[in-house]
Amino acid sequence: MSGSIRLKHDDLSQALVELLSTIYEGEIELVGLSRLSGGANMEIWSMDAVFDNTSHPIILRRMPGGKNDLNQVGNIDLTTEAELITIAADHGVAVPQIVRVLSPSDRLGIGFLMSRETGLALPKRILKDPNLNKTRQILAFECGKVLAKIHSIPLEKIPRSVESMSEIDINETMQAKLNNYNNASPVHQLTLNWLRDNLPSFRGKTLVHGDFRNGNMLVDTTGIVAILDWELAHIGNPVEDLGYLCGNVWRFGNHDQPVGGFGQYDDLLDGYRSIAGWAPTVEEVQHWEIYCAMNWAMACLAMLDLYRSRADASIERAAVGRRLSESEIDLLLLLDGKI
Amino acid sequence: MNGTSAAELLEATRDFLLESVLPNQEDFLAYSTRVAANNLAIVSRELELRGYIDKLDEEIIRTLSLQNKGETLSTTLARALRDGIIQVDDDLLEYLRKRTMRSLEIDNPRYSGLILAQARWEKGGLQE
């Protein structure tokens, strides 16, 4: 890949010290640089920039290996993602603060620096931590409120590179992907046939986060601290985000708590209605859970393809490719009685 | 006495990763080590359980009188569904349910969808 840079830990550290010293206008000390797990399709580094006896907690999000080519899994590039996060903040959505969008002269690849906010991100800890017992009871309602705020951002504020995708576009894209990946699953195909014959209700076009789930939000005892991972953002049907949040794969074993494994449909819809003035029906949300399971299948296939093509031959990519059967069982359950 | 079996090699390697390697790793490498150990566990289960899937595949080939086109059975079925050559009927649906459950018993036996599906369609556990 031409123009790609692969930095070793020391080089990374050096490049970061130089950049952060420019940002804070003085020599900084870089402390605790470490790669965080959890981001299989993105490199995420945590660090503290110590300047003037103050420690600034920082996160670096960039393409794996510091490469300069566009993200092959997400819908938008990291520069657009940084732009969207700033716009979301302007509209009252809790997000990290963008510290700097990387430019080529920074020698760090494509990506951005943002503030590292406090709170838990690991889904299973959010579902189990005793300190969050009370928080979990309000979390579904809070999610509804945040989603309604995201969906209320005027379309003219959204960067043009954020694509618009109707259900018909989504179905066509999925068929093209299934063909491209050798039509490996009859379950995915029969689901797609069903989705083509049963289009969801039209609910207008809004910004859709696209990856709004337990695991992509920071939570502390006060509730949602920040919404993360905007790389799958697009313009589409707002109910998609609600269905996605309720997909079984993102309930982390708590099947009887449809909203992220921590809450009930009615609380999510009440929270949404409290800001938006309307809310979809539970059936509409469940329709989009089918898309969520298909989405997970597409993500697994894309990551498997990155592994097989050696574009990113990491052990995580290989492992995710084995999770296709999760989407298949969820789809067969969701379609039970419908086909 | 035979040489070490594939299952034993996998088990020994997995134990080594979890007991000797993992305690010395942090952050991303600890996470990757756990993923590596889990990959080996999947292969162990596949060695043990793959026969159930093969049997289901042989049955559906006979039931639907499918021709071998030099591609996997899943691909043949997926393309036939895409092109409207076959429709979803009870036989196919039952096959897909069973096959998916058998796959998950290998890939991720603790997945909530599997447990739900077994309760709904099999009253729990393996069915011959």
Side-chain angles (χ1 to χ4, degrees):
Chain A
M1 235 163 290
S2 66
S4 77
I5 13 170
R6 217 181 171 87
L7 293 167
K8 291 196 175 67
H9 195 279
D10 288 352
D11 301 331
L12 173 66
S13 167
Q14 185 54 39
L16 282 167
V17 167
E18 283 173 26
L19 176 59
L20 287 162
S21 296
T22 332
I23 293 169
Y24 292 104
E25 296 175 342
E27 192 138 326
I28 65 110
E29 192 194 346
L30 191 69
V31 181
L33 177 65
S34 61
R35 185 166 171 191
L36 300 182
S37 58
N41 44 3
M42 182 82 56
E43 259 190 34
I44 305 169
W45 294 83
S46 174
M47 71 207 79
D48 290 277
V50 181
F51 175 65
D52 212 10
N53 291 323
T54 311
S55 189
H56 301 271
I58 301 234
I59 292 282
L60 163 68
R61 263 168 86 78
R62 66 167 186 168
M63 293 303 298
K67 289 168 192 152
N68 276 323
D69 50 331
L70 288 180
N71 190 346
Q72 295 169 68
V73 176
N75 288 336
I76 57 174
D77 60 72
L78 281 165
T79 309
T80 309
E81 184 178 346
E83 239 180 291
L84 262 186
I85 291 171
T86 307
I87 293 163
D90 293 344
H91 289 83
V93 181
V95 282
Q97 198 188 341
I98 301 296
V99 174
R100 177 66 65 93
V101 177
L102 299 176
S103 63
S105 61
D106 297 326
R107 296 180 297 116
L108 287 161
I110 285 182
F112 56 88
L113 298 173
M114 64 183 187
S115 60
R116 187 179 73 239
E117 303 294 331
T118 55
L120 289 176
L122 289 175
K124 286 180 183 169
R125 285 190 59 193
I126 289 174
L127 295 181
K128 282 188 183 138
D129 194 319
N131 297 321
L132 295 177
N133 285 350
K134 285 203 167 141
T135 315
R136 276 193 297 276
Q137 293 171 16
I138 60 158
L139 214 46
F141 190 90
E142 292 292 306
C143 284
K145 277 167 60 182
V146 175
L147 281 174
K149 283 181 194 168
I150 292 172
H151 299 159
S152 74
I153 298 174
L155 285 183
E156 64 268 19
K157 304 268 187 194
I158 312 294
R160 282 186 181 188
S161 52
V162 178
E163 269 183 286
S164 176
M165 284 191 279
S166 70
E167 291 80 2
I168 293 167
D169 297 333
I170 295 173
N171 294 347
E172 274 180 21
T173 306
M174 289 197 294
Q175 184 66 66
K177 284 183 185 169
L178 291 181
N179 294 346
N180 188 34
Y181 298 134
N182 226 14
N183 308 99
S185 167
V187 176
H188 296 155
Q189 187 61 53
L190 72 84
T191 304
L192 193 47
N193 291 355
W194 186 87
L195 286 171
R196 276 209 199 92
D197 295 339
N198 297 274
L199 290 176
S201 314
F202 181 70
R203 290 295 199 170
K205 286 169 83 173
T206 69
L207 174 66
V208 174
H209 179 282
D211 204 5
F212 193 99
R213 63 171 177 88
N214 187 3
N216 286 338
M217 55 182 91
L218 285 170
V219 174
D220 71 9
T221 52
T222 65
I224 296 171
V225 180
I227 302 300
L228 310 170
D229 290 347
W230 292 71
E231 73 207 63
L232 297 177
H234 56 273
I235 310 287
N237 189 324
V239 190
E240 179 183 337
D241 271 338
L242 287 88
Y244 193 88
L245 173 63
C246 299
N248 188 42
V249 67
W250 306 130
R251 295 182 199 175
F252 298 93
N254 290 357
H255 183 80
D256 56 352
Q257 304 275 342
V259 185
F262 49 72
Q264 297 299 322
Y265 288 117
D266 283 348
D267 293 327
L268 171 71
L269 297 177
D270 286 348
Y272 194 84
R273 196 180 293 107
S274 74
I275 300 283
W278 72 280
T281 64
V282 172
E283 288 70 30
E284 281 179 85
V285 174
Q286 286 169 335
H287 190 117
W288 284 97
E289 286 176 31
I290 297 174
Y291 278 100
C292 175
M294 282 297 278
N295 230 297
W296 176 234
M298 298 301 125
C300 292
L301 286 167
M303 292 195 212
L304 177 58
D305 188 54
L306 287 176
Y307 176 77
R308 287 195 175 145
S309 67
R310 315 308 281 180
D312 184 6
S314 65
I315 196 166
E316 289 80 20
R317 302 263 194 206
V320 170
R322 260 291 167 138
R323 298 184 62 187
L324 275 175
S325 49
E326 294 176 11
S327 68
E328 291 176 326
I329 204 74
D330 286 344
L331 290 166
L332 288 168
L333 287 164
L334 284 161
L335 291 170
D336 192 11
K338 291 187 163 78
I339 47 170
Chain B
M1 192 161 113
N2 296 323
T4 320
S5 71
E8 287 167 329
L9 284 174
L10 285 165
E11 191 185 9
T13 312
R14 184 174 141 80
D15 288 348
F16 166 72
L17 286 174
L18 292 176
E19 286 158 26
S20 304
V21 180
L22 183 61
N24 304 313
Q25 307 295 333
E26 282 179 16
D27 298 331
F28 190 69
L29 279 175
Y31 170 71
S32 297
T33 307
R34 270 190 224 102
V35 173
N38 191 47
N39 286 351
L40 296 183
I42 292 171
V43 178
S44 297
R45 289 192 296 266
E46 176 153 335
L47 282 174
E48 189 192 338
L49 302 170
R50 177 75 212 183
Y52 293 110
I53 291 180
D54 294 339
K55 204 170 141 226
L56 289 171
D57 286 355
E58 285 160 24
E59 278 168 19
I60 198 72
I61 287 170
R62 275 200 303 275
T63 310
L64 299 181
S65 316
L66 294 169
Q67 305 293 319
N68 186 339
K69 292 184 187 168
E71 58 193 17
T72 66
L73 172 62
S74 292
T75 296
T76 303
L77 289 173
R79 289 189 175 146
L81 283 166
R82 177 193 64 188
D83 301 336
I85 293 165
I86 56 170
Q87 303 298 322
V88 183
D89 62 11
D90 288 348
D91 284 338
L92 182 60
L93 196 55
E94 195 185 324
Y95 159 74
L96 291 173
R97 284 172 178 168
K98 279 189 181 166
R99 193 187 200 281
T100 306
M101 286 189 276
R102 297 298 82 84
S103 299
L104 269 164
E105 281 155 7
I106 295 169
D107 301 340
N108 186 0
R110 289 186 303 175
Y111 190 63
S112 67
L114 171 62
I115 292 152
L116 205 70
Q118 286 171 331
R120 190 179 297 184
W121 295 320
E122 287 193 324
K123 299 189 181 84
L126 274 177
Q127 243 184 19
E128 291 302 310

